[in-house]
Amino acid sequence: MSIVFLNGEYMPKDEAKISPDDRGFLLGDGLYEVTPFYQGVPFGLEDHLRRLMRGLCWLRIDYDVSGIEAMHRELVARNSLSSSDRSMVYMQITRGAAPRTHYFPEGEVKPTIYSYTKEWSRPRDEVWNRGFTAKTVPDRRWSRVDIKTICLLPNALAFQAAKDEGADDAILVRDGVAIEGAHQNFWGVFGDTVVTHPITGHILPGITRGIVLEEAREAGMKVEERPIQVEELGFADELFFTGTTGEVRPIREVDGLKVGKGGVGDVTKTLSDLFLERVEKVKASERTGGS
Ligand code: PDD
């Protein structure tokens, strides 16, 4: 039985009880974060917390994030995942339980804080090296998806539409632009230039996206943050996704059409290697006391 964290306490998952009046349940009034851990070492946690704080400000939920790192570490330890190659901590904060109104509850309502951890794994090398398939699906989300709210129904419907067609993932398309995936950011390589959508209200500012951008720039690659038109997908040399549990994920086919030469492109492979090296550096730095 996994141990979860709910409102200040650690408990077996089947003892966790959340009110049916919770505004997360009734209205989707809340935020979430997913933070990766590599052998018990958090990766990009500060950035995840910064994004969470920004979301809390937008939603006007009053919650102090200073205890979150210790809670995440404790949860990973209590679930015996400190030496697991890859685990993640899911955290959700909702406005709390109150009689249902569309406006914010009056009087003091405590936010509901729920967190769990679980293992995940990178696809086997032979699977990763083949690349993945994607299907374009209309982006029916609202115009503030930069806030990581728990309202993921359009993402779930898009992912399911891709899955129904036998694709591994969805690429969300809005006004002719390939915006991002259902749960990952989206990238293209055109000649010697690496391209990804700029930070606007239409994409989630992915933490993995930020790290890969940094790595690409440090490696001297030409990088552009600009929208990728759907028509461009046909002549992209490479396409890939980035995200917490996908890391760098090559796309070999979109809507049944081969991307570039098919398989995994050189730039995608280089960025994936740089990302994994960065993970190793963070692990080593924590072990030597974080220098
Ligand atoms: N998904 N875009 C969307 C729509 C996402 O939901 C996510 C993350 C990302 C990548 O962000 P990051 O690099 O910070 O993980 C981009 C999480 C992991 C999820 O929903 O499980």
Side-chain angles (χ1 to χ4, degrees):
M1 171 62 62
S2 67
I3 302 296
V4 302
F5 176 91
L6 180 63
N7 297 332
E9 283 177 53
Y10 298 91
M11 61 189 76
K13 192 175 188 174
D14 63 0
E15 287 175 20
K17 302 272 184 292
I18 295 172
S19 165
D21 280 339
D22 195 276
R23 288 178 62 95
F25 177 57
L26 293 176
L27 299 156
D29 185 357
L31 297 164
Y32 77 107
E33 270 300 328
V34 180
T35 305
F37 278 66
Y38 290 86
Q39 292 178 332
V41 177
F43 183 69
L45 181 65
E46 271 179 30
D47 295 335
H48 284 273
L49 291 181
R50 204 170 303 124
R51 184 170 65 188
L52 180 66
M53 278 193 302
R54 188 175 161 272
L56 288 167
C57 284
W58 271 107
L59 266 55
R60 291 158 54 193
I61 294 177
D62 185 16
Y63 181 71
D64 175 8
V65 302
S66 60
I68 292 180
E69 173 166 357
M71 180 270 274
H72 277 27
R73 287 179 184 272
E74 180 71 23
L75 204 52
V76 168
R78 285 190 189 224
N79 284 280
S80 311
L81 292 177
S82 301
S83 48
S84 158
D85 268 355
R86 287 171 171 80
S87 60
M88 59 84 152
V89 177
Y90 175 91
M91 178 180 200
Q92 175 166 320
I93 303 178
T94 74
R95 196 177 306 280
R100 182 176 182 272
T101 55
H102 283 71
Y103 54 84
F104 296 169
E106 278 153 1
E108 210 200 314
V109 174
K110 272 198 177 157
T112 303
I113 317 298
Y114 172 64
S115 203
Y116 70 84
T117 181
K118 68 168 192 177
E119 262 184 315
W120 57 281
S121 55
R122 184 177 167 81
R124 293 192 318 278
D125 281 352
E126 64 264 36
V127 174
W128 195 92
N129 288 332
R130 260 204 316 270
F132 297 83
T133 61
K135 178 183 154 47
T136 53
V137 179
D139 186 359
R140 301 197 197 281
R141 301 174 300 165
W142 72 325
S143 52
R144 286 310 308 272
V145 300
D146 55 315
I147 306 168
K148 202 165 167 58
T149 72
I150 56 177
C151 308
L152 294 177
L153 181 60
N155 306 57
L157 292 174
F159 202 148
Q160 187 60 42
K163 200 164 171 272
D164 288 344
E165 300 275 322
D168 297 318
D169 245 305
I171 298 171
L172 305 178
V173 176
R174 175 189 287 258
D175 299 331
V177 173
I179 301 261
E180 64 173 337
H183 62 128
Q184 304 176 88
N185 291 115
F186 177 65
W187 302 65
V189 179
F190 300 89
D192 63 354
T193 309
V194 185
V195 182
T196 194
H197 198 283
I199 300 287
T200 66
H202 291 312
I203 69 162
L204 183 82
I207 306 308
T208 323
R209 174 191 179 280
I211 290 166
V212 171
L213 269 177
E214 250 175 57
E215 291 295 337
R217 289 191 172 117
E218 271 170 33
M221 294 181 186
K222 252 168 82 181
V223 176
E224 276 179 22
E225 291 178 72
R226 64 154 179 89
I228 300 172
Q229 303 296 321
V230 181
E231 291 85 57
E232 292 181 84
L233 302 184
F235 53 85
D237 295 300
E238 303 178 27
L239 298 174
F240 62 95
F241 289 120
T242 58
T244 288
T245 51
E247 300 175 335
V248 176
R249 184 153 293 199
I251 305 171
R252 70 160 194 276
E253 192 184 290
V254 177
D255 295 339
L257 298 173
K258 194 161 80 173
V259 176
K261 298 193 204 104
V264 181
D266 293 343
V267 175
T268 308
K269 175 81 176 83
T270 303
L271 289 172
S272 174
D273 290 346
L274 289 170
F275 178 81
L276 295 175
E277 279 167 31
R278 172 92 159 238
V279 168
E280 290 309 316
K281 278 184 214 153
V282 170
K283 276 158 62 180
S285 152
E286 167 140 326
R287 288 195 186 115
T288 56
S291 48

